[in-house]
Structure formats: structure tokens, C-alpha cells
Amino acid sequence: MTQTTHRAGLAAAPPDPRSAISVRGLHVHYGAFEAVRGIDLDVHRGEIFALLGTNGAGKTTTLEVLQGFCTHSSGSVSVLGLDPATQRNELSARMGVQLQEGGFVEDLTVAETLVLWQRLADRPDRPGRLLERFDLLERRDVPVGKLSGGEKRRLDLAMAVWGTPELVILDEPTTGLDPESRRRTWDAIQELQEAGRTVVLTTHYLEEAEALADQVAIMHEGRVAVAGTLADIVAAQPARFSATLPADLADLPRLAGSARREADRVQVQTADLQGDLTTFLTWAAARGVRLSDLRAAPASLADIYHAVRSDQTGVRRP
Ligand code: ATP
């Protein structure tokens, strides 16, 4: 049963008109297993918000609560000022959703599916616009059951953005898409934002969050481990640089970060990329050393996940 927490004796604060989603102290159980363990989320209107995280972290479960498909054990949830648990019909009229697994009628063609959707949807739109937008014109007469995985994802996305809803929730919208389809999906998401809509998506791709998201939250084992802008999260993790050195060069300069040498390759992990790289390049120049294969990069998603797992994120917990 859904329970909403109230503070006794306090008048309810008026809803913030800028808030698209507000989640406080959300817990979700599947039987004895606690899949979501007390998370807070704030998504502002007009924002693209990316929910990242390890496998089984609770992202899909959280999205299902936002859609009113999953019952939470405690905490409060407000989506477009509504309670998804009790006002799902009102909410679905204002919200588009793409699930990880689309529920299609396999025998209907792509065009028939969109025409059916046109009859069912609360918002007006045209099948032709979506067929063109998601590159499905040539597949319009193909039964959905015969579409490739990527084509099904695109059809599902077309239905989610049907009528340009106020809020669009996308669960791994680009998983399994080829690079061109991924690019088109990113364009469609950015178009929604340009039209003033709010988008919440889950993804396992850092570059996707980087390209699209104003704010991200990274979940692990049912909790939000870090949240903020991706730039803040990445900046809080050590960067890396590496280079190949001549085999006869044994010493290394003194650096703020940690250096590891394997045969002729040196790898440095550092919180001061600019400072350490300058020291390293100056040191190499003074010795007349030509550095081959010099590479420098900020933390990767793998580094961030590793930090999240080991609780070494150094970034604020909400
Ligand atoms: P992924 O990135 O792998 O898709 P996720 O972050 O979306 O993972 P969820 O699908 O929300 O994770 O699952 C969170 C946890 O809850 C997992 O351990 C999963 O096995 C469990 N779980 C999800 N749905 C159910 C269910 N219907 N019954 C029991 N356990 C469930």
C-alpha cells in the first residue's frame, strides 16, 4: 500500500510551479527485498534529467513509481503536481513513456500501430510526422513483430513523444540503437526540451548523459550515490594521462597524482590534470624526450561507477 509521509502539525508547503518531479524518502520493496532505499530526486520543468547507475540499482523501479505503475512502501512522490499512485489517469494524459520492453501488438503494422495510438492518445499528433521523424517511413507496412530491436525502440519512442507531452520518461531509449539512430533519438530529446518539455531518462552511456542532461543522479544498490551536473561529478573524480617513454628513461618527475609504470608506458591518475601534465611535459622537454601516444582524459563512467561502488565519490550526496 502506498503511504505518503506527512509532518504532523506543519501546513503543507504550496507546490513549486518550477518543479516537474519531487521525490522524498522513496522506499520500494519487492516482498522482503528493498529495491529503492530512501531516495530524493528533484527535476525542474524544462530540464533533461539522466538517471544513471549500476545494474539492478533501482532506476527502472524508480521510473515505474513516477508513472504510477509500481507501489512504493514509503516516501512522497509528486509528478507535475500530481500523485502518480492515485492520479495516474490525469498524469498519463500529460506524460509520455517509453519502457525498456515495449508492449506492442506484433501483427499490426507500424502505420496501423500509430493509427491505433492516435485513437487512444489524449494528445493530437499525426502518424506521418512520427514515421518521418523516427525514420520509419520505409517500414510503415511491416508488422511490428518483424521489426528489428532498434526499429521497435524507435517506434516506442515515437509513441512516447506523441503529441509532445509536458513530461517524457524514457527507460534506456538508445540501448541497441546504431549510431545514426542514437543521434536521431538525441535530436528528438533535445527538440522536446526546446519546446519547453521535461525529459527524464535512464542510460548506461556517459556520453549520452554528457550530450543531453542538465542534471544527473547515479544510483547504486537502491540509493542515489551522487547527484548534480555531470561536469561536477566528473570533476570530482581523478583524471588520467598516459604516455610511452623511451625504455632507457628510468626516473619520473614528482607529481601530485599517482604514477604507475609498466614497461615503457607510464599512467598517471591525478586530481590536478593541468598541473601534473604541465610538470610532466616540462620534464620531458628538458630531457629532449619525444612522448609517443600521449593521452589525457577526464574520469570515465567506469571510473565513476568504481568510485560509487567503493564509496569514494567525493561528490555531495543529496
Ligand atoms: P538495469 O540497469 O539492470 O536495468 P535498474 O537500475 O533499472 O537495473 P531495477 O530494474 O529497478 O534496476 O531493479 C532493481 C532491483 O529490484 C533488482 O535487484 C531487480 O532484480 C529487482 N526487481 C525488479 N523488479 C522486480 C520484481 N518485479 N520483483 C522482484 N524483484 C524485482
Side-chain angles (χ1 to χ4, degrees):
M1 194 180 77
T2 301
Q3 297 164 0
T4 304
T5 47
H6 296 287
R7 290 193 194 158
L10 287 179
D16 179 352
R18 291 164 308 164
S19 168
I21 294 173
S22 170
V23 170
R24 290 287 172 277
L26 179 71
H27 290 259
V28 182
H29 287 84
Y30 294 114
F33 175 66
E34 193 176 22
V36 177
R37 305 176 185 187
I39 67 164
D40 296 343
L41 291 176
D42 281 299
V43 182
H44 298 108
R45 287 185 192 253
E47 192 167 81
I48 299 178
F49 187 95
L51 199 52
L52 298 133
T54 49
N55 283 132
K59 303 179 294 295
T60 297
T61 302
T62 302
L63 293 194
E64 285 175 354
V65 170
L66 299 179
Q67 296 157 40
F69 291 140
C70 179
T71 304
H72 51 290
S73 352
S74 61
S76 66
V77 180
S78 169
V79 180
L80 301 177
L82 301 170
D83 178 350
T86 57
Q87 296 173 290
R88 196 165 82 201
N89 288 346
E90 284 160 84
L91 194 54
S92 65
R94 298 167 60 190
M95 179 171 76
V97 171
Q98 181 193 33
L99 304 175
Q100 255 183 53
E101 302 282 335
F104 294 114
V105 181
E106 304 267 297
D107 291 338
L108 290 184
T109 65
V110 171
E112 286 166 348
T113 302
L114 288 175
V115 169
L116 178 65
W117 197 237
Q118 189 170 29
R119 292 203 193 117
L120 297 174
D122 298 285
R123 299 172 295 276
D125 211 328
R126 290 179 301 106
R129 179 184 88 85
L130 281 314
L131 287 171
E132 195 176 354
R133 183 72 199 76
F134 294 101
D135 202 19
L136 288 166
L137 268 175
E138 284 182 11
R139 309 297 281 158
R140 56 175 296 137
D141 297 323
V142 175
V144 170
K146 297 218 161 70
L147 294 179
S148 73
E151 288 166 347
K152 273 191 188 165
R153 274 331 267 140
R154 272 150 43 200
L155 178 58
D156 214 3
L157 184 62
M159 290 157 79
V161 306
W162 182 276
T164 321
E166 260 175 86
L167 171 66
V168 179
I169 292 186
L170 308 171
D171 200 358
E172 296 188 25
T174 64
T175 297
L177 294 190
D178 63 45
E180 178 54 29
S181 300
R182 174 168 296 169
R183 168 62 58 190
R184 279 175 167 260
T185 300
W186 289 7
D187 289 347
I189 291 169
Q190 281 165 332
E191 276 168 24
L192 285 167
Q193 185 177 41
E194 281 156 21
R197 308 312 198 246
T198 308
V199 181
V200 176
L201 59 94
T202 67
T203 181
H204 285 290
Y205 307 117
L206 181 62
E207 72 274 16
E208 186 155 294
E210 226 159 19
L212 296 173
D214 301 298
Q215 300 284 332
V216 307
I218 302 184
M219 289 185 72
H220 177 55
E221 294 182 344
R223 296 192 171 86
V224 173
V226 290
T229 67
L230 197 65
D232 287 345
I233 289 171
V234 169
Q237 300 304 315
R240 293 168 192 273
F241 66 87
S242 62
T244 300
L245 295 172
D248 58 351
L249 201 64
D251 66 325
L252 282 176
R254 184 185 287 274
L255 300 170
S258 59
R260 193 159 50 89
R261 187 153 180 175
E262 273 172 24
D264 56 352
R265 187 132 193 97
V266 62
Q267 300 233 30
V268 177
Q269 200 173 16
T270 175
D272 181 10
L273 179 61
Q274 187 175 356
D276 274 354
L277 198 51
T278 304
T279 305
F280 187 70
L281 293 175
T282 308
W283 168 85
R287 282 160 181 73
V289 169
R290 173 139 193 91
L291 298 167
S292 56
D293 204 13
L294 175 67
R295 295 176 197 195
S300 66
L301 187 57
D303 298 330
I304 295 170
Y305 279 175
H306 177 72
V308 162
R309 281 178 194 279
S310 355
D311 198 21
Q312 295 168 348
T313 48
V315 188
R316 72 185 167 86
R317 276 174 187 273

